[in-house]
Amino acid sequence: MDKIIEEFLSQERSLLIAPAGYGKTYTIVQCVKEAEGKSLILTHTHAGVAALKNALKEQQIDKKCYEIETITSYAQKYVKAYCAETLPDITDKNYWIFILEKAEEIFKNTHIKDVVKKTYSQLFVDEYQDCTLSQHKVILAISESIPTHILGDPLQGIMDFNKETDPLVSFYNDDLKDFTQTSELSIPHRWQKEGNNSTLGEYLVNIREKLIDNLENDAKNEIDLDNSNNSFHFIKTSGNAYLYNGINSETNIPNKQTNKNYTYKELLKCILNNPKNSPSYESLLVISKPPYIRNKSQVEIRADLKSMLYYPTLHLLEAIDEKSFYELSNVADEIITEGLNANLKKLYEFLVNLFNKTDIDKWINTKSYNLIRKTNEEDKQISDEIQELIVTFNNSKQPLLFGKIIEYFYYTLKLKCNRTEFIHSILNAIKMTEHGNSIYKTMVEQRNKFRRVGRKVDGKCLGTVALTKGLEFDTVVILDAESFKNPKELYVAMTRACKNLIIFSQNTKLQPF
C-alpha cells in the first residue's frame, strides 16, 4: 500500500493536502479499496459526486463498498427523517443553515451514532477547503462515530458565497486542529499522463507558489501570460467577451462598438467548431465570469453569450439551486390553478423565460396578450393549433396538458432555447406532477434527487469556476482572464485543463490579488 495512503488511513482524524491534478480522486479510490467495510464519501458538488462515482466504477469497486453524496444532501436526508420541526422553504435564504444546524444535533444523538457506526466503517470528505463552518461542525459530529479522513487544498476554496453568515473553514488557524495532517501529494499526475500536457503541469506548479504568496502574504505577484514557455495559448483581446450581446454592462444600453472585438468572437467560434477535428477539442470547457448587468441574472447573461456563439451543442451548466427553477415552477402552479383566459399575459411571461422574446412575440400580441390572427395559411394553422392546446388545457387544467403547450413551442415550432437544462427540468417537473399536486414541490424533489445522484459533465460546456470545480477537460478556454482577481478562482480555472489551455485577456499580465 502507498505510504501516504497508509499514513492517511492510520489516523482516526486525518487531513491530506492535495493540489489540483495531483491524484486526490485516485487517492480516495485507493483508500476505499484498502479500507474494510462500507465507506461514506461526501463532497460539495453534484459534478464532484458524478466524477467520484465514475472513478470508482472504472476501478470496478463494488457499489456495496461505498455511498457518495454531497454534504448538504446527506445532511438534508437525516434532517427530513429525524427533525420534528417544520422545515423552512428551500428558497428561504436560511434553509441550508437550518438543515446543517439540525444535522449537527442529529449526528450527536446516541441512537443516530449507533446507526452511523453500523452502516459505515469510515468517512472520506473531498474538497474540504469548500466546507463552511456549519458543514465542518456536521463532519465533526459524524467523526464522533467513525474514523474521518478529509482532503483539500486551501488554494481551491472558492465556494464562499455566504462568507458573512457562514464563512469557509480555515486551513491556517485552529479550525482543523482535531485532524492530523499527513504528507502532501507531490506529483501532478493530471498532466503527466500519456498524451497530456506535462509542460502545462510544470507551469502550473510554478504559478501555484506565486498565487499562494498572494493569498497568504498579501503579495502582488503578477502572472505574465507572454512568459508561458509554450505551455498554453494566450490570445490578447481588445475588449470583453460580453460586448457581443450588444449590452454595455455598466449602463445596460445597447453598445455601439460591438464589432470592435469581432476577432474575439470568431476565434472562439473557431475553437468550438474544431475545424481540424482534433479529439482533444471535443472535451472542451469555456469558463467565463459574467459582468454585472442590471435586471439580468448571471445565468441569463451566460445564456446570452451562448446565443451569440450560435453553437447549439454547447451545454450551458446551471447551478442546482438556481432560483429561476423554483420561480418558474410557482408561475406554472398559478397558471394551472387559474387557467388561461383570453388574456395570455401569464403564458407570455412564462414562455419568455424559456425562449427568445422575439420568437414569442410572433404569436402573442404584447399589447392585448391575445394570440395574433395570422393570414398566412401555414402560420394560421400553427395559431389554431396553439389555440386548441390552450382550450384543451382550460377544460381540465391538468399539468400534463399545460406541458403540451410548452412542448409545442419547443419541439414542434423548434424555438431556440439557450437553457436546455432549464427547460428539460421544467418539462420533467410538469410531467411528474399529478393533478392536484404542486409543480413547485415536484421541482424541489427533482433538484434534491439531482443533488444526491450527481450529474455527469462532458462534451462542450459553458460554465463558471464554481460550477466546474473538481472537473477536468482536455481543453479549457478562459474568457476575460483579467477579470479573475481572486488567486483561488484563477488557479481553479487554469487547472481544469489536461491538454490545451487557451486564455483570452485584454492584459498581458494578470493581477490576481
Side-chain angles (χ1 to χ4, degrees):
M1 179 168 47
D2 185 286
K3 287 185 179 179
I4 292 179
I5 292 176
E6 185 176 5
E7 182 185 2
F8 188 48
L9 290 175
S10 66
Q11 306 291 330
E12 282 294 305
R13 291 177 175 176
S14 57
L15 161 66
L16 178 63
I17 300 292
Y22 279 57
K24 180 161 50 64
T25 301
Y26 170 83
T27 300
I28 293 173
V29 171
Q30 294 306 309
C31 285
V32 173
K33 265 187 178 180
E34 295 294 340
E36 295 180 0
K38 185 176 185 178
S39 298
L40 173 62
I41 307 170
L42 300 178
T43 187
H44 292 269
T45 65
H46 49 289
V49 169
L52 281 163
K53 283 183 176 179
N54 186 57
L56 288 157
K57 183 180 179 181
E58 285 180 353
Q59 291 296 311
Q60 298 181 329
I61 298 176
D62 194 322
K63 290 182 179 179
K64 295 177 182 177
C65 295
Y66 62 86
E67 179 180 333
I68 307 177
E69 284 200 45
T70 62
I71 296 171
T72 50
S73 69
Y74 189 74
Q76 183 190 55
K77 180 169 65 178
Y78 273 80
V79 172
K80 282 188 170 183
Y82 296 106
C83 180
E85 297 179 39
T86 302
L87 274 60
D89 189 85
I90 197 167
T91 57
D92 188 313
K93 65 179 182 178
N94 295 316
Y95 176 82
W96 289 111
I97 292 291
F98 176 89
I99 291 291
L100 293 166
E101 286 177 351
K102 294 303 173 185
E104 181 190 359
E105 294 175 13
I106 288 166
F107 285 120
K108 287 184 175 180
N109 180 280
T110 304
H111 299 296
I112 301 301
K113 282 184 177 182
D114 288 339
V115 171
V116 172
K117 285 177 185 177
K118 289 176 182 177
T119 308
Y120 312 105
S121 55
Q122 59 276 312
L123 165 65
F124 297 97
V125 189
D126 195 12
E127 307 284 9
Y128 212 80
Q129 72 281 344
D130 289 324
C131 271
T132 64
L133 288 179
S134 293
Q135 291 171 332
H136 176 56
K137 289 176 182 178
V138 171
I139 300 304
L140 283 178
I142 298 174
S143 73
E144 293 178 12
S145 303
I146 53 177
T148 299
H149 313 291
I150 65 177
L151 305 92
D153 175 17
L155 194 52
Q156 295 182 70
I158 61 170
M159 313 290 266
D160 54 348
F161 306 124
N162 300 308
K163 55 187 174 185
E164 300 300 326
T165 56
D166 195 13
L168 293 180
V169 70
S170 173
F171 280 60
Y172 304 115
N173 58 27
D174 290 337
D175 288 351
L176 302 179
K177 66 181 186 302
D178 296 314
F179 292 84
T180 303
Q181 183 174 337
T182 60
S183 302
E184 290 190 22
L185 298 179
S186 57
I187 301 173
H189 293 286
R190 176 174 296 166
W191 300 279
Q192 291 187 358
K193 289 180 184 175
E194 186 177 353
N196 285 1
N197 190 340
S198 59
T199 308
L200 175 60
E202 292 168 7
Y203 175 81
L204 292 171
V205 169
N206 293 329
I207 72 158
R208 177 180 171 83
E209 295 176 6
K210 292 182 179 181
L211 295 173
I212 288 177
D213 190 29
N214 288 358
L215 184 67
E216 295 181 7
N217 305 314
D218 291 326
K220 306 292 182 184
N221 294 309
E222 295 182 323
I223 305 301
D224 188 350
L225 298 177
D226 269 346
N227 185 24
S228 63
N229 297 321
N230 297 317
S231 56
F232 63 85
H233 304 285
F234 164 48
I235 299 173
K236 196 172 190 304
T237 67
S238 57
N240 184 287
Y242 287 89
L243 285 175
Y244 293 118
N245 61 22
I247 299 293
N248 183 300
S249 61
E250 294 180 1
T251 62
N252 211 18
I253 316 174
N255 194 309
K256 295 180 180 179
Q257 298 182 6
T258 53
N259 290 326
K260 183 180 178 183
N261 296 327
Y262 182 76
T263 307
Y264 196 152
K265 172 182 176 180
E266 293 309 302
L267 280 170
L268 189 49
K269 285 174 69 175
C270 183
I271 291 167
L272 287 167
N273 286 323
N274 189 14
K276 294 183 179 179
N277 294 319
S278 171
S280 67
Y281 280 80
E282 292 305 307
S283 166
L284 185 146
L285 168 65
V286 179
I287 297 180
S288 78
K289 187 169 183 164
Y292 168 76
I293 295 179
R294 193 167 62 245
N295 299 326
K296 277 208 169 190
S297 69
Q298 294 283 284
V299 71
E300 288 172 331
I301 299 169
R302 286 192 293 118
D304 286 345
L305 178 62
K306 182 193 169 187
S307 178
M308 175 272 292
L309 293 171
Y310 304 114
Y311 196 85
T313 57
L314 181 66
H315 178 51
L316 181 72
L317 298 178
E318 303 230 23
I320 276 286
D321 281 324
E322 162 58 41
K323 64 180 183 179
S324 52
F325 285 96
Y326 305 117
E327 290 173 346
L328 205 59
S329 297
N330 275 323
V331 175
D333 283 327
E334 290 174 13
I335 289 173
I336 287 165
T337 301
E338 300 168 6
L340 293 168
N341 52 30
N343 186 323
L344 299 176
K345 185 176 181 180
K346 270 268 170 64
L347 176 62
Y348 178 85
E349 290 174 346
F350 186 94
L351 293 173
V352 293
N353 278 282
L354 299 173
F355 306 108
N356 187 298
K357 182 179 181 296
T358 305
D359 291 337
I360 303 303
D361 287 350
K362 182 179 178 181
W363 305 105
I364 299 177
N365 187 314
T366 54
K367 292 182 179 179
S368 63
Y369 291 105
N370 293 321
L371 285 178
I372 297 173
R373 294 181 179 276
K374 300 288 186 178
T375 54
N376 174 285
E377 192 59 38
E378 184 179 343
D379 286 349
K380 183 178 183 302
Q381 182 180 342
I382 291 171
S383 185
D384 288 345
E385 288 173 356
I386 295 171
Q387 180 64 44
E388 186 178 342
L389 287 168
I390 290 172
V391 170
T392 303
F393 162 69
N394 278 334
N395 286 337
S396 63
K397 297 179 184 175
Q398 290 185 19
L400 199 60
L401 293 175
F402 177 59
K404 294 289 184 185
I405 299 172
I406 303 166
E407 288 177 337
Y408 185 86
F409 283 92
Y410 189 43
Y411 294 115
T412 304
L413 297 186
K414 299 188 184 327
L415 297 193
K416 185 178 180 182
C417 176
N418 290 312
R419 297 178 62 188
T420 52
E421 182 178 331
F422 185 40
I423 192 168
H424 289 153
S425 293
I426 289 290
L427 285 171
N428 285 337
I430 290 171
K431 287 176 183 176
M432 293 166 62
T433 302
E434 297 179 4
H435 189 47
N437 287 346
S438 158
I439 293 173
Y440 172 79
K441 183 180 178 182
T442 306
M443 177 64 79
V444 171
E445 291 171 352
Q446 180 192 89
R447 303 310 286 176
N448 282 339
K449 182 180 178 182
F450 215 177
R451 186 180 286 107
R452 290 193 301 273
V453 302
R455 173 182 66 186
K456 186 177 180 181
V457 178
D458 54 15
K460 297 180 182 181
C461 302
L462 171 61
T464 62
V465 175
L467 290 174
T468 53
K469 197 171 172 303
L471 301 177
E472 59 181 71
F473 287 75
D474 286 347
T475 300
V476 170
V477 181
I478 301 176
L479 305 183
D480 307 323
E482 70 280 354
S483 66
F484 289 77
K485 298 300 184 183
N486 185 328
K488 297 179 181 181
E489 285 189 332
L490 181 63
Y491 179 72
V492 171
M494 294 178 80
T495 52
R496 299 309 94 206
C498 298
K499 298 179 180 179
N500 312 299
L501 176 61
I502 304 169
I503 298 179
F504 286 81
S505 175
Q506 296 182 60
N507 304 333
T508 304
K509 293 183 178 180
L510 303 183
Q511 298 180 329
F513 45 77

